Structure formats: C-alpha cells, structure tokens
Amino acid sequence: NSESFIENFMYATKDLKIDFFSFNNYRVKMKFLKNQAITTDDIEFEDLKTINVTMRKIASNIKKNYSNKLEIIMSEWNLNPIPRDFLNDTCYASTNIIKNTIENFDIMDNMIFWTFTENKVGTDIFYGGLGLFTTNNLKKASYNAFLLLNKLGAEIISKGANHIVTEKQGAFQILLYDYEEPKNSNKSKEIQMSISNFTKGNYLITKYYLDESSGSIYDYWKTMGAPKKITEDIYQLLKSREKMNMKVEEREIEEIFRINEVLKTNGIAFYDIKKI
C-alpha cells in the first residue's frame, strides 16, 4: 500500500539531502482489473478518519527521518482519482474538502487539489468529473467549499470535529460542517457551541449555507429533471444557483455568542461576524 511504499522510500533515502517530500492522497482502495477500465464499482472508500491519522503519521515520520527541514507537499488530492463518480459533483465532495483541509493544513506546507477545471472525459454537464467547474464552466459545490475556506482568518481560535473558528482584523469566522458517509444520507447534525471573549456591542452577522438546497448546482439540476440538453435558459438558471443562500442580521452580543445550528447531511454553515 501507499504507506508502506513511503516508509520504504524514506528508508532508502534517509542519508540523502532532499529538498521536499511529495505524495498523492486519494482515500480509495481500488481493485485493478486486467485489460478492463476501472469503474466506480471498483472503488472502495477508506474511512477518512483513518486516512487523516495516517497522513499525520507519515508527516511525523518524514520530519524524524531527515536531518534537514523538508517541505511536505500533498501534491495531488481529491475524493478519488476516477472522473466517472457522481459523488465528485455532490455536497459530499464539499465536506470532504473541508474536513481534509482543516485536519491536515497544519502538517502540510502545500496541499494541491486535483483538479481546478474539468478534464472533459465526459460530454454531459455532470458525469462525475474531478473539477471544481463543470465542462461548461458552472461552479460546482466543491468550488463553494474552497470559497468558504478562503474566508477564514489566519488566527485560529478553536478547532474541533465539526468546526473551526478564526479571527481576522477584529472579525470572527465560524465554519461548521457535518461530514457523513454516503450510506448515512438521511442524517442531519445539530451543532451547539458558545464562543466567549466578545467585546460588548452590536455585530453584523452574515451566514452562508452550502448543502443540497443551497450552492449545489448538481442537486438543483436533479430537481429540474436532470436535462441532458442545456439550453440558454437552463444554463442561466443553473448559473443563478451557483451562489450559496445567505442570511444577514444585526445582533447585540454581550460577551458570549451562542450557536444552535442544524445542518443537513454533508451540509456546511459559515458565519462572518463583524462589529458595527
């Protein structure tokens, strides 16, 4: 397996002065069939928690194995490497991006997602491609996951199994997510938490939601009847559904900000809190 390969490589190169250590990360076990194309039937997913524990172990061993400080690069990662899996188009891919990034960014110098644009293996608008955009350049739910990650601040206030809280220029950013495997597709998640140390005053709270009914054009396309032919009207309607739903409110906060949020399966909520 990949872990044993990396261990063997480190043993063989421990006396060399190398500048960086890079590897790919796809959380799948695949049955390679002779003379046959690999399909989604050949995919078996590793548990993401197990994968991330392995990533931390690998990074720790890399640091111990070499005398000089190396740049550790996850040079290629995604849900899976096969561009024919419809999970790549869904909110499951979004929470996979969120969870993978939040749990691994502190041990990696670079994490390079594969891939930005669709590689056009298929001709349909949705075919399970790996890109953040469809073949006709519509933003998928996975794009919105990176959009929310980009809104986070550099100072981490709190990080847990379903959240991260950051601060940037006096404003707070709260990202909540419910990561569920596809077999748990009907589960929802209630998240309750309190954040203290707010300065008393009025705050503007902007909330973004990413789930099957907000910011996921794949799910909206399905509710339309999954049309194969994309007319200009259909395209413009899908384009309008790229954006996530927002809620905006002004609220006085004494000192503690309390959250009680119920997320849909593989749903994400983002709070941007700025003092007025």
Side-chain angles (χ1 to χ4, degrees):
N1 60 35
S2 58
E3 185 178 358
S4 61
F5 174 85
I6 290 173
E7 295 287 346
N8 291 336
F9 179 84
M10 284 192 292
Y11 178 79
T13 60
K14 62 182 179 180
D15 295 325
L16 299 178
K17 291 185 177 180
I18 60 177
D19 298 318
F20 64 90
F21 197 106
S22 66
F23 56 90
N24 298 346
N25 179 20
Y26 293 102
R27 47 170 299 236
V28 296
K29 296 183 274 186
M30 291 185 292
K31 299 170 284 185
F32 288 94
L33 307 179
K34 231 177 184 182
N35 301 322
Q36 293 184 35
I38 300 170
T39 70
T40 52
D41 294 332
D42 303 314
I43 298 175
E44 182 183 346
F45 282 94
E46 291 273 17
D47 178 76
L48 186 56
K49 182 178 180 181
T50 302
I51 288 289
N52 284 337
V53 168
T54 302
M55 288 299 101
R56 302 194 80 82
K57 179 182 174 184
I58 289 172
S60 177
N61 287 343
I62 290 171
K63 290 175 182 177
K64 291 177 183 176
N65 199 71
Y66 299 98
S67 57
N68 58 318
K69 187 180 185 307
L70 299 182
E71 188 176 14
I72 302 177
I73 304 169
M74 193 185 295
S75 55
E76 187 178 317
W77 67 280
N78 201 324
L79 180 62
N80 65 62
I82 299 178
R84 298 177 188 86
D85 184 357
F86 281 103
L87 285 175
N88 294 324
D89 297 322
T90 67
C91 288
Y92 176 65
S94 299
T95 49
N96 184 77
I97 288 168
I98 295 290
K99 187 173 178 67
N100 234 332
T101 303
I102 289 176
E103 294 191 357
N104 289 314
F105 76 89
D106 59 330
I107 60 171
M108 303 293 167
D109 293 290
N110 283 290
M111 296 175 63
I112 304 169
F113 185 79
W114 184 267
T115 176
F116 192 66
T117 56
E118 209 74 288
N119 52 17
K120 300 193 177 183
V121 170
T123 56
D124 297 330
I125 181 173
F126 292 108
Y127 61 91
L130 303 177
L132 303 179
F133 293 82
T134 65
T135 54
N136 55 356
N137 296 318
L138 290 170
K139 296 170 184 172
K140 294 159 69 170
S142 51
Y143 173 95
N144 283 327
F146 278 109
L147 186 66
L148 293 179
L149 286 170
N150 194 52
K151 292 180 180 291
L152 291 171
E155 183 177 350
I156 298 174
I157 306 300
S158 174
K159 188 173 78 165
N162 297 98
H163 79 276
I164 185 169
V165 181
T166 63
E167 185 176 0
K168 177 171 58 179
Q169 297 176 343
F172 292 89
Q173 303 80 37
I174 305 168
L175 195 157
L176 311 172
Y177 62 97
D178 171 42
Y179 177 82
E180 299 287 350
E181 295 294 342
K183 61 185 178 182
N184 299 328
S185 59
N186 294 320
K187 292 181 66 176
S188 58
K189 181 82 171 181
E190 182 176 7
I191 298 178
Q192 294 180 328
M193 60 184 298
S194 298
I195 303 171
S196 58
N197 298 326
F198 273 82
T199 304
K200 181 179 178 181
N202 291 322
Y203 287 81
L204 180 67
I205 304 169
T206 306
K207 304 176 186 178
Y208 302 82
Y209 292 93
L210 176 56
D211 53 46
E212 60 185 19
S213 60
S214 169
S216 174
I217 60 170
Y218 174 74
D219 287 288
Y220 190 74
W221 172 75
K222 286 199 304 182
T223 65
M224 295 173 67
K228 294 290 185 182
K229 182 176 176 57
I230 304 301
T231 65
E232 181 63 22
D233 285 346
I234 292 174
Y235 181 86
Q236 292 302 328
L237 185 56
L238 288 172
K239 187 75 178 171
S240 71
R241 303 296 295 193
E242 289 177 335
K243 294 185 180 298
M244 295 170 282
N245 292 341
M246 293 173 56
K247 293 182 180 178
V248 182
E249 63 174 300
E250 290 186 20
R251 187 192 305 182
E252 183 179 2
I253 300 176
E254 293 284 340
E255 181 183 359
I256 298 174
F257 180 72
R258 292 181 173 84
I259 293 174
N260 187 351
E261 191 76 61
V262 178
L263 300 178
K264 295 180 180 179
T265 305
N266 283 305
I268 301 165
F270 185 95
Y271 287 52
D272 182 65
I273 307 174
K274 296 177 180 176
K275 192 173 184 183
I276 301 173

